[in-house]
Amino acid sequence: MVRIAVVAGSVRSGSFNVMLARAAIRHLEAHGATVTWVDLAHFDLPLYATAIEAERFPADALRLKQLFAGQQGILFTSPEYNGSVSPLLKNAIDWASRPTDGEGPVALTAYRGKAAAIMSASLSPFGGLRGLMQLRQILTTIQMLVIPDQLAVPNAHQAFDNEGRLRDPLQTSLLESSAARLVKVAAALSG
Ligand SMILES: Cc1cc2nc3c(=O)[nH]c(=O)nc-3n(C[C@H](O)[C@H](O)[C@H](O)COP(=O)(O)O)c2cc1C
């Protein structure tokens, strides 16, 4: 079974990116993945600063890093904030990128060589596309292999039905193909 973590860059009650993440989980599981849902509300992560890290590596940052390290792939959903990823998500990514336990400075044990998929949901007609471009760049920098498929859901307030499924068949098929490819690539990279 392929182990995939799913993390959303929002902890807002009623978050569209959490809805998208939950919809993605259904597709990942249908392709045989063992999914770990990462709710960032359950991680106490201070805003990253070297001074904080030098004093004490936060327990929840280590927990997040270890959780990611145990996966073969990670699916990220993020809101777009002023054309970029949410600071909540960037901060979490940054903490889990840091070396621990005597690792070299760019060990990137949580990420290096693993598969990633990226998605966003936004109220705007562009679906958070600009944020996705930045997220792709960030994940490539930390040595993840980001699959070419991606999904940007526009007009997010109208995009989901009462069961949290995407209404639009094209978006549903993009969600399905992204999930399928992530599982396939994650398995291939760790095989
Ligand atoms: C500080 C801030 C900046 C935002 N900037 C953008 C933006 O650049 N593009 C966009 O499409 N939506 C932007 N939004 C609106 C978000 O897409 C919207 O709040 C979305 O619902 C957030 O995702 P969530 O539902 O998962 O919490 C912004 C929202 C906030 C709070």
Side-chain angles (χ1 to χ4, degrees):
M1 293 273 259
V2 182
R3 297 181 305 282
I4 306 278
V6 176
V7 57
S10 173
V11 292
R12 187 177 70 80
S13 167
S15 160
F16 300 118
N17 285 280
V18 171
M19 272 188 220
L20 185 56
R22 293 225 165 97
I25 287 172
R26 287 195 282 265
H27 288 266
L28 290 168
E29 288 179 340
H31 286 279
T34 300
V35 175
T36 301
W37 165 237
V38 182
D39 183 348
L40 290 178
H42 296 155
F43 290 82
D44 185 13
L45 301 175
L47 188 58
Y48 177 83
T50 41
I52 294 175
E53 183 182 27
E55 201 170 298
R56 191 181 63 88
F57 201 87
D60 275 8
L62 185 60
R63 187 162 65 92
L64 182 67
K65 180 181 172 183
Q66 288 169 341
L67 192 159
F68 282 164
Q71 309 301 314
Q72 292 160 279
I74 308 177
L75 186 149
F76 299 83
T77 68
S78 180
E80 179 178 281
Y81 280 3
N82 297 323
S84 188
V85 300
S86 71
L88 177 81
L89 182 61
K90 181 63 164 57
N91 191 49
I93 290 172
D94 285 350
W95 272 116
S97 74
R98 300 299 297 155
T100 49
D101 301 324
E103 290 171 341
V106 286
L108 295 169
T109 45
Y111 304 117
R112 185 187 294 276
K114 295 182 182 175
I118 57 173
M119 301 178 181
S120 67
S122 148
L123 298 174
S124 86
F126 308 110
L129 202 52
R130 291 167 300 184
L132 281 186
M133 289 164 66
Q134 297 208 0
L135 183 54
R136 181 174 291 279
Q137 186 181 346
I138 292 162
L139 299 177
T140 302
T141 303
I142 56 174
Q143 313 253 327
M144 297 197 85
L145 197 135
V146 188
I147 62 167
D149 317 60
Q150 63 182 31
L151 177 60
V153 177
N155 307 313
H157 52 300
Q158 298 164 344
F160 298 90
D161 68 17
N162 291 337
E163 268 130 36
R165 292 173 203 278
L166 286 166
R167 292 182 199 276
D168 183 72
L170 175 60
Q171 287 173 3
T172 304
S173 78
L174 291 172
L175 182 60
E176 165 58 17
S177 55
S178 294
R181 195 176 322 263
L182 178 60
V183 171
K184 209 170 174 176
V185 173
L189 287 177
S190 53

